[in-house]
Amino acid sequence: MLFEDLSLSKSIQKAVFEEGYIEATPIQEQSIPIVLAGRDLIGCAQTGTGKTAAFAIPIIHQLHRIVGSSNKKKQIRALVVTPTRELAVQIGQNFDNYGKYTNLTQLTIFGGVSQIPQVDQLRKGVDILIATPGRLLDLHKQGYIDLDHLHTLVLDEADQMLDMGFVNDVKKIVKLTPDNRQTLLFSATMPIAIRELAEMFLKDPATVTVSPVSSTAEKVEQRIYFVDKTEKRNLLYHLIRNEKLSDVLVFSRTKHGADNVVKALRKKGVAAEAIHGDKSQTARQRVLDAFKNKEVGVLVATDIAARGIDIDLLPYVVNFDLPNVPETYVHRIGRTGRAGSTGIAISFCSKDEAPYWKDIQKLIQVEVQTISDHPYPWHEGSPEAEAAPPKNSNRSGGAHKSRKSTTSKQNKKRWY
């Protein structure tokens, strides 16, 4: 569907066209009419699907009609709650771009910086507020934020907000908003906790799922290495050097683990940097710029920090630690193989992570290439080794054609 067929105002169409948007993505095509109709919405979409435009564009259209050219003091009519400052900034930039030919104003607020400029702007009045939960509640408690006139509430990256421990903050925020609001909930994954949250806060919502949550996994070449836990760093270095990997995004479960991986790689001469919540906004941006400019070949990130990363044409993703939530695996590897480019996802599985891998297999339901011929395998004879696929297959692919490899077949029971 073309954007010109979505019944948007001419000012928004002009801005969208200047951004290079001609044809709506699936999440935009399905979501925009629902939002324009005033319905609550649950959107399940991965990063890179055009999700922000799916809610920002119709919100701007609605508010432009409501506010018009009024000179009255602006009230907060739309609130977008998102877990990290990086995401908040990106969303704010999108609202600026799509609404530049309207008289709507937006403000992005987050912690870690002085509140004075944010308070000054709030006093002047804004139509659209993008906020992280902590700063939002703090400024509301101080009396600077009034949500009584709110028309639309957006809970973005809901699964990540739960992972970061914001669930109680989200509940407090929702209670501050009018009962007759429109609520839009977007999440990359849909675990049970998110569905319960949706049932609690949304009224008769429409549901838009761009594609089954496992579909991204089907488009990426996946490889699994069963490796002793203490040898993971050695295996990572082995692959980087022997396979000549570059532009690699490595996922670590913890901030401390990410720092240790970087330290080990640097000792062996690999240009690596870490990005996680303990680093300042300036430091994170510096690291990300260095990675995008290919000054750093390996970026090690936690899931929380990675949500604010937007990198095109990423060839390699490495799951140094397997996630304990299977949907997170799909989200991680979905960062490679975008826009028709090839992508390879490499995962390390230690003995204690065997249950995680079984859960991931049940979810993705695709064949994953097991690389068994490497220097750091599990010790044979352990009960956990049963999690490894049978070693009677000679399947191989890509750079591993000379290796022994096996393929695991997944249980056909659907996660949902």
Side-chain angles (χ1 to χ4, degrees):
M1 177 182 288
L2 301 178
F3 269 96
E4 63 184 24
D5 297 327
L6 285 170
S7 303
L8 299 169
S9 69
K10 290 183 179 180
S11 59
I12 297 173
Q13 285 191 33
K14 181 181 179 182
V16 167
F17 178 77
E18 290 181 0
E19 290 298 307
Y21 294 8
I22 304 297
E23 189 171 349
T25 66
I27 186 69
Q28 294 162 1
E29 179 178 344
Q30 296 178 62
S31 299
I32 290 175
I34 293 170
V35 179
L36 290 176
R39 287 194 64 185
D40 284 7
L41 171 68
I42 299 172
C44 182
Q46 305 289 335
T47 299
T49 58
K51 167 174 58 72
T52 301
F55 63 78
I57 289 173
I59 286 174
I60 293 170
H61 176 88
Q62 288 175 321
L63 296 188
H64 186 50
R65 287 191 311 168
I66 294 171
V67 177
S69 58
S70 173
N71 292 321
K72 294 180 181 179
K73 183 181 177 182
K74 292 178 175 293
Q75 306 282 0
I76 299 172
R77 309 275 184 171
L79 170 64
V80 181
V81 183
T82 194
T84 69
R85 68 184 80 182
E86 290 88 354
L87 286 167
V89 169
Q90 288 178 20
I91 293 169
Q93 290 172 344
N94 285 329
F95 269 98
D96 279 342
N97 293 338
Y98 306 145
K100 62 184 174 183
Y101 295 117
T102 71
N103 69 334
L104 300 175
T105 59
Q106 73 85 11
L107 173 64
T108 302
I109 63 173
F110 46 80
V113 297
S114 171
Q115 72 174 38
I116 295 174
Q118 299 175 2
V119 169
D120 289 343
Q121 189 59 45
L122 286 167
R123 283 173 171 159
K124 295 176 184 176
V126 296
D127 299 297
I128 302 161
L129 183 64
I130 299 101
T132 53
R135 178 53 62 94
L136 174 64
L137 288 172
D138 186 25
L139 292 184
H140 180 274
K141 185 177 181 180
Q142 295 180 52
Y144 296 122
I145 291 176
D146 177 8
L147 299 176
D148 290 345
H149 302 274
L150 193 72
H151 181 276
T152 304
L153 170 65
V154 181
L155 302 176
D156 190 35
E157 301 285 0
D159 54 348
Q160 196 65 20
M161 284 199 280
L162 263 64
D163 288 345
M164 293 174 68
F166 286 141
V167 61
N168 289 330
D169 286 348
V170 170
K171 290 178 180 178
K172 291 176 184 176
I173 291 167
V174 174
K175 289 181 180 179
L176 299 175
T177 63
D179 291 337
N180 63 347
R181 69 182 183 275
Q182 179 184 31
T183 308
L184 315 176
L185 183 148
F186 287 87
S187 185
T189 61
M190 282 292 165
I192 292 175
I194 294 298
R195 298 178 200 172
E196 292 175 346
L197 197 68
E199 289 178 4
M200 193 181 306
F201 298 140
L202 279 69
K203 299 174 182 176
D204 188 29
T207 300
V208 172
T209 302
V210 172
S211 55
V213 70
S214 61
S215 64
T216 302
E218 296 167 359
K219 300 175 184 177
V220 176
E221 181 182 340
Q222 299 173 71
R223 302 169 186 170
I224 181 76
Y225 290 75
F226 293 94
V227 54
D228 275 345
K229 187 173 185 177
T230 57
E231 300 289 358
K232 282 187 175 185
R233 281 175 277 183
N234 288 329
L235 178 58
L236 179 60
Y237 175 74
H238 171 81
L239 294 178
I240 289 171
R241 282 296 178 236
N242 290 350
E243 300 296 335
K244 296 181 172 25
L245 306 186
S246 61
D247 303 321
V248 187
L249 177 59
V250 179
F251 281 97
S252 169
R253 188 176 299 120
T254 66
K255 294 174 283 191
H256 180 67
D259 288 335
N260 284 340
V261 170
V262 168
K263 185 183 297 185
L265 290 176
R266 285 178 175 174
K267 282 184 178 179
K268 296 189 176 183
V270 178
E273 291 280 2
I275 183 169
H276 52 63
D278 280 355
K279 293 185 177 291
S280 68
Q281 171 68 15
T282 302
R284 280 186 273 184
Q285 192 59 53
R286 177 188 59 78
V287 168
L288 186 55
D289 289 343
F291 185 67
K292 288 181 176 180
N293 295 332
K294 301 188 184 301
E295 298 166 8
V296 171
V298 180
L299 180 62
V300 187
T302 57
D303 289 298
I304 292 172
R307 284 291 175 98
I309 298 174
D310 186 14
I311 304 170
D312 294 327
L313 303 178
L314 187 65
Y316 300 101
V317 166
V318 176
N319 291 301
F320 187 87
D321 298 312
L322 285 180
N324 59 358
V325 177
E327 291 89 349
T328 300
Y329 171 87
V330 177
H331 186 82
R332 286 180 179 182
I333 72 171
R335 292 185 169 276
T336 186
R338 291 186 187 177
S341 62
T342 58
I344 296 174
I346 297 168
S347 298
F348 297 167
C349 180
S350 58
K351 292 178 182 179
D352 61 321
E353 294 173 314
Y356 301 161
W357 182 241
K358 286 184 177 181
D359 289 341
I360 290 167
Q361 288 179 304
K362 290 177 183 179
L363 171 63
I364 63 176
Q365 301 204 23
V366 298
E367 294 185 345
V368 177
Q369 183 185 7
T370 300
I371 308 301
S372 57
D373 186 11
H374 65 84
Y376 311 104
W378 285 5
H379 295 303
E380 296 296 330
S382 64
E384 295 89 344
E386 295 179 5
K391 299 182 178 180
N392 59 359
S393 171
N394 292 319
R395 291 178 63 95
S396 62
H400 298 279
K401 288 184 178 179
S402 63
R403 295 180 173 177
K404 296 177 183 178
S405 62
T406 59
T407 303
S408 60
K409 293 187 176 180
Q410 279 64 44
N411 187 323
K412 295 300 180 183
K413 184 178 178 182
R414 291 285 181 185
W415 73 280
Y416 49 82

